[in-house]
Amino acid sequence: MSGLINYVSCGVLWLGVTVRAPDLVRHWRDPILRVICAVMALAGLCFLLGAPPTVGAINRISGVPNLAALVTYATITAYSAMSLVLVVFWKGGPNVRRITRRLMGGYCVVLLVIAALFALGGASVERRTDFDTYYAVTPFIAEMIVLYLLAHLTAVVTTALWSLRWAREVHGRLRVGLLTMGAGTVVGAGYSVSKLTAVVARWCGSDWSALGTEVSPGLAGLSALLTVVGILIPWAGPSLTAWFLSWRAYVRLAPLERELDDVLSHRNLRLPRPRPSSPATLLMWRQTSIHNALSYLDALFDRDLYERTHDAALHATGDRERAQAAGWAAIIAAAVREERDGPHVPVSSRGAGRRPPAPDASALVRIAAALSASGVVEDTRVHRGSAARGVF
């Protein structure tokens, strides 16, 4: 077994921790942030330690047969405890720190007992995939196996109950995250139950090791995936939403930038494209370039054309914002055409209509849409005098 899925899963989880590392350094005193990063790091470590090549490497380097089993069980127990602590912090309340200390203290005791039982037991034959069932009847080792499985089962069942119960009291991303995390911990209970069932079957003289070697790893992977996704939904949801909105606005402004491309290129008004760039940075770069071009074309904007187009659009749609966007789109198209073709009309003859209100970020998006879909803009490109005949 190559363990490729384990290593990829571990890499994805640790990449998420790495991305949040700057926030962790800046806000180290934030307990929720620390617990979230710990849960993700431990989940990744569980995948790493569960890969058969890693198991063999730990046993070989340490010289202790099956030491990897002890390390893996301890990591799974710690991951379960931290998931439970995270729900406690999310829930909040006056007794959060007291409950957290008790949980951490209890699971630290469990970890110490697991280590002591491993040291007292005799596990001299290396078992990379079926350690649980192979040593299910070995003194001390059997107790260690049952203890870690019961500790894991207790943690995931409690986490599931708390998550699903609290999800009924909240809304939005937090509710979705709690439901997803609750589902993940329910699946995680299947990991412990399948392992315990295989162990009990071994006590009864039957061989159900497939439950521990084939069923439980799949349940563990799915559980970790759902649990971590549930954690990330309320935590990273606002950032992902902002990322999506910035990218959508950047894409929707493309028609307006294309309309102004000749002016931006010939007059060197476009700033150098930032690289690498987040959607927010790209959006700011595109908005700045557009504003540079609009400022340059200001003397060429025909106020009368704006007023005629605005009034016609308002009459046709009853929407003032769309009417303003249509007016702006018309005078931008006309100004770009005049800038390209010349000669320029003196400023004094630009008309006496009302001055168009300066477009904000949302107005720029509507102007870009009008440039793409407005019939009046197309009329303006062909013949300025026909700009007020049709709107959409």
Side-chain angles (χ1 to χ4, degrees):
M1 298 176 66
S2 67
L4 178 61
I5 295 178
N6 293 62
Y7 295 137
V8 171
S9 301
C10 174
V12 171
L13 289 166
W14 283 359
L15 177 62
V17 176
T18 303
V19 170
R20 305 307 302 189
D23 290 338
L24 184 61
V25 172
R26 288 193 298 267
H27 307 288
W28 174 250
R29 294 184 179 275
D30 184 351
I32 296 181
L33 183 59
R34 293 202 305 267
V35 174
I36 287 174
C37 290
V39 170
M40 294 179 65
L42 288 171
L45 189 58
C46 290
F47 279 112
L48 176 65
L49 295 174
T54 304
V55 172
I58 293 175
N59 294 338
R60 183 177 64 256
I61 293 172
S62 66
V64 179
N66 298 304
L67 178 64
L70 171 64
V71 176
T72 303
Y73 293 169
T75 305
I76 292 174
T77 303
Y79 164 73
S80 306
M82 293 307 294
S83 299
L84 188 55
V85 168
L86 176 60
V87 177
V88 173
F89 272 114
W90 272 355
K91 180 67 174 177
N95 300 320
V96 168
R97 295 192 179 279
R98 179 172 58 83
I99 296 173
T100 300
R101 285 195 296 268
R102 289 183 178 180
L103 286 172
M104 296 295 290
Y107 272 88
C108 284
V109 171
V110 171
L111 290 174
L112 290 175
V113 174
I114 288 175
L117 290 172
F118 181 82
L120 292 172
S124 58
V125 179
E126 183 186 50
R127 307 301 297 185
R128 296 190 180 186
T129 58
D130 62 345
F131 180 91
D132 300 316
T133 51
Y134 186 87
Y135 287 105
V137 294
T138 302
F140 296 111
I141 300 298
E143 286 79 359
M144 179 195 76
I145 294 169
V146 173
L147 177 60
Y148 111 83
L149 289 174
L150 289 178
H152 177 265
L153 183 60
T154 301
V156 295
V157 169
T158 306
T159 303
L161 291 175
W162 286 2
S163 300
L164 297 176
R165 184 184 304 161
W166 187 28
R168 294 183 297 180
E169 303 174 11
V170 296
H171 304 280
R173 284 187 294 265
L174 181 56
R175 183 177 187 179
V176 175
L178 287 169
L179 290 174
T180 306
M181 186 175 181
T185 50
V186 169
V187 175
Y191 166 84
S192 300
V193 170
S194 61
K195 288 266 191 180
L196 283 170
T197 302
V199 168
V200 172
R202 180 78 167 82
W203 293 346
C204 298
S206 301
D207 181 12
W208 290 7
S209 59
L211 286 175
T213 58
E214 298 178 12
V215 176
S216 62
L219 293 174
L222 180 58
S223 171
L225 174 63
L226 290 173
T227 302
V228 171
V229 169
I231 292 170
L232 291 178
I233 287 173
W235 181 42
S239 299
L240 292 175
T241 300
W243 188 96
F244 171 75
L245 292 176
S246 295
W247 179 256
R248 186 178 66 172
Y250 170 77
V251 172
R252 293 174 68 182
L253 283 176
L256 180 53
E257 187 186 20
R258 284 196 300 270
E259 187 72 29
L260 298 168
D261 185 65
D262 286 344
V263 177
L264 290 169
S265 300
H266 296 159
R267 304 301 177 182
N268 295 320
L269 299 174
R270 183 185 279 112
L271 299 177
R273 184 185 179 94
R275 298 179 186 277
S277 307
S278 66
T281 302
L282 288 173
L283 176 61
M284 184 176 297
W285 167 76
R286 179 163 280 178
Q287 288 173 337
T288 301
S289 298
I290 290 171
H291 280 298
N292 288 345
L294 295 182
S295 297
Y296 177 81
L297 293 173
D298 183 70
L300 300 180
F301 289 148
D302 188 333
R303 298 185 186 181
D304 288 341
L305 176 59
Y306 173 86
E307 190 164 349
R308 292 195 305 271
T309 309
H310 172 277
D311 292 345
L314 184 61
H315 177 74
T317 66
D319 189 324
R320 188 170 299 278
E321 289 184 342
R322 291 180 65 187
Q324 291 174 350
W328 265 106
I331 63 174
I332 288 172
V336 169
R337 181 174 180 273
E338 188 166 347
E339 163 66 20
R340 182 177 63 249
D341 299 340
H344 299 167
V345 178
V347 177
S348 59
S349 62
R350 288 294 163 197
R354 60 181 177 270
R355 182 177 182 81
D360 57 15
S362 58
L364 290 179
V365 173
R366 291 192 293 271
I367 293 169
L371 283 166
S372 301
S374 175
V376 69
V377 176
E378 188 61 32
D379 287 344
T380 301
R381 289 194 180 98
V382 177
H383 181 61
R384 289 183 54 185
S386 62
R389 284 186 295 176
V391 180
F392 295 96

